[in-house]
Amino acid sequence: MLHTTVSPDLIFQIEKSFYIEGEQKWMLWRNQTNEVQQHFVAQAEQILQAIQKNRPSLEFSLPEKVVLVDPCTHAYREEIIPARYRRQTIGRRLFQRGNSTLSIVLQRLSDLQSSAHLSLSLSANILRYWIARLWLNQLPEGEALPENKGLNPSSEARPEVQRYFPEWLLFNSNGEPLFSTKAEAEQSIHAIEATLQSLLSAMAVDPTIVEEEAFRSRYMTLVTQMVEQGRAYCEYLTKSILSTIRKRQSQHTLNRGLSIHLPYFDDQLLEIRYLDLEVVPPGRIAFEEVFLIHAIQRAQESISKNSKLSLSTRQHILEELKLMETSFSDCAPYSPVGALSPYYRRIKPPISGDTSQNISESKI
């Protein structure tokens, strides 16, 4: 599951008044001397490398002085950064061992932003700006989406998504798998997830990056491809499960119980999850196809009422259940063998006071 789960519709509704606009941060950097500009970019690259490698410690420095806007006169002036703040050292303390380098860096930048020294606040804003943009530029953009390239838009598909990542495509336009093993397919899904996590982490560094088209395009492309390919892969796994059931049914190896872990893709958590179906409880019970139909129908009723899942995820699961149901739609109604078999006869209830016969059925 993604460390930060954000709805595609909500990610662009961040309250901008809490942050200095991205364009303003750009202007703050542009007003610096060439030497200071290069210093900020170099330090941002150093911080980004430490975040990506999750290093336990990090050192970065601030320039000797910066140019800022005087809040009273609104004129540009130079301000010296106090010497004791120019070298910043970040390390995980004993109680911070479980924290990532990203979270510790964000805390330090937040502390600098809230400082009474305007030079420190300005430096933190510029560093946030460049760390996020450098991170964004490292992420793939994808390629223009040709017609019938295997992405089957759902009812929620966005028309503005016109790109895709061919290296992570799992199925072609005919629905045929482009992977040779399940491990290879899951590796592609994890690659999309890791890229999306990096994108969300860049947003955590500088939330104003959501205003940029480069961010929006990557985000919508990643989410769309991840959901569509994840659902298609789950359908592929469902068909594999059906094939296994048919095979084991023909081999008569389903007579000691049957439980199914049905995979589905949750578009809120952006991960593959499983729905447990108990078709036949453990024991010496012969498998009948009608047992599977009954289990599917119970699951359909339960999923239809499950408000914790999004409407699109529920529809996705119901489609998989329908696929399973139609695969066994030709099964005959089940009748208990013992009740109707000619080898069984019903014994009349014993006469009052006669306890010699205390069973309702007996085999002849």
Side-chain angles (χ1 to χ4, degrees):
M1 183 177 67
L2 292 180
H3 178 68
T4 306
T5 303
V6 184
S7 168
D9 294 323
L10 297 179
I11 193 169
F12 303 130
Q13 299 178 9
I14 294 177
E15 182 58 51
K16 300 176 185 177
S17 61
F18 290 107
Y19 309 100
I20 296 178
E21 298 291 343
E23 185 176 351
Q24 289 179 298
K25 291 181 180 179
W26 167 257
M27 292 305 301
L28 290 175
W29 178 77
R30 290 286 296 175
N31 291 331
Q32 310 304 316
T33 63
N34 290 336
E35 182 180 355
V36 173
Q37 288 180 0
Q38 294 174 8
H39 182 89
F40 275 124
V41 174
Q43 296 306 301
E45 290 177 342
Q46 181 177 329
I47 295 172
L48 178 57
Q49 290 178 5
I51 292 174
Q52 292 174 331
K53 296 181 180 179
N54 202 30
R55 292 174 181 166
S57 61
L58 164 67
E59 287 189 3
F60 65 93
S61 63
L62 303 179
E64 181 179 347
K65 57 185 177 181
V66 293
V67 176
L68 51 78
V69 179
D70 191 295
C72 298
T73 63
H74 301 288
Y76 291 103
R77 64 176 176 83
E78 284 189 347
E79 181 168 317
I80 296 177
I81 296 179
R84 64 181 182 275
Y85 294 118
R86 291 176 194 166
R87 183 162 297 280
Q88 297 286 323
T89 302
I90 299 176
R92 298 181 200 168
R93 300 176 183 176
L94 183 61
F95 61 88
Q96 294 178 319
R97 292 293 173 85
N99 294 351
S100 65
T101 303
L102 173 61
S103 63
I104 299 175
V105 168
L106 290 179
Q107 183 59 53
R108 177 59 59 87
L109 292 177
S110 296
D111 293 341
L112 292 175
Q113 277 183 290
S114 59
S115 171
H117 296 280
L118 295 180
S119 58
L120 295 180
S121 179
L122 178 143
S123 298
N125 276 311
I126 292 178
L127 285 174
R128 279 183 178 271
Y129 178 91
W130 275 108
I131 293 171
R133 271 67 185 181
L134 290 172
W135 206 340
L136 177 64
N137 291 336
Q138 290 180 3
L139 301 178
E141 298 181 62
E143 298 181 6
L145 180 63
E147 295 182 2
N148 301 324
K149 194 57 184 178
L151 290 179
N152 301 316
S154 65
S155 58
E156 297 182 311
R158 295 171 176 264
E160 63 267 26
V161 178
Q162 299 295 333
R163 306 187 72 82
Y164 79 114
F165 298 95
E167 65 272 24
W168 299 325
L169 204 61
L170 299 181
F171 300 90
N172 60 21
S173 57
N174 297 323
E176 300 170 342
L178 300 176
F179 53 89
S180 55
T181 63
K182 292 181 180 179
E184 183 181 339
E186 292 175 1
Q187 184 178 3
S188 296
I189 294 177
H190 292 327
I192 300 177
E193 180 180 358
T195 305
L196 183 57
Q197 181 62 72
S198 295
L199 198 63
L200 295 176
S201 297
M203 185 193 72
V205 174
D206 184 12
T208 62
I209 201 172
V210 301
E211 304 170 22
E212 300 185 11
E213 180 60 29
F215 178 91
R216 292 171 176 258
S217 174
R218 285 175 172 86
Y219 179 82
M220 292 310 307
T221 301
L222 285 167
V223 170
T224 300
Q225 183 162 341
M226 189 173 185
V227 171
E228 295 300 331
Q229 296 290 280
R231 288 176 179 172
Y233 180 61
C234 288
E235 182 179 339
Y236 169 85
L237 294 178
T238 300
K239 292 178 180 178
S240 177
I241 291 173
L242 292 173
S243 176
T244 301
I245 292 176
R246 287 292 193 188
K247 180 179 179 180
R248 293 189 59 185
Q249 182 185 19
S250 64
Q251 297 173 347
H252 304 287
T253 58
L254 289 177
N255 298 330
R256 291 185 178 273
L258 173 62
S259 295
I260 298 175
H261 300 291
L262 183 68
Y264 68 91
F265 193 87
D266 191 316
D267 58 13
Q268 290 180 313
L269 300 178
L270 295 178
E271 68 172 359
I272 295 177
R273 299 181 70 85
Y274 294 88
L275 176 67
D276 291 330
L277 301 177
E278 186 179 71
V279 180
V280 181
R284 295 179 178 274
I285 303 176
F287 171 76
E288 295 285 347
E289 294 180 358
V290 71
F291 293 162
L292 179 59
I293 299 298
H294 289 169
I296 291 172
Q297 291 173 347
R298 290 194 300 268
Q300 288 172 334
E301 182 178 359
S302 174
I303 292 299
S304 299
K305 299 177 181 179
N306 191 342
S307 59
K308 294 181 180 180
L309 299 171
S310 68
L311 180 61
S312 56
T313 297
R314 277 181 279 169
Q315 183 63 32
H316 162 55
I317 299 174
L318 291 174
E319 288 175 357
E320 289 193 345
L321 292 172
K322 189 65 176 179
L323 174 63
M324 297 182 67
E325 185 178 20
T326 54
S327 298
F328 290 89
S329 60
D330 57 343
C331 67
Y334 172 72
S335 298
V337 175
L340 301 180
S341 173
Y343 298 100
Y344 284 77
R345 63 182 177 87
R346 181 167 296 279
I347 305 299
K348 295 181 180 180
I351 301 174
S352 178
D354 182 6
T355 59
S356 61
Q357 293 181 342
N358 55 6
I359 57 174
S360 60
E361 292 182 350
S362 176
K363 187 174 181 180
I364 297 178

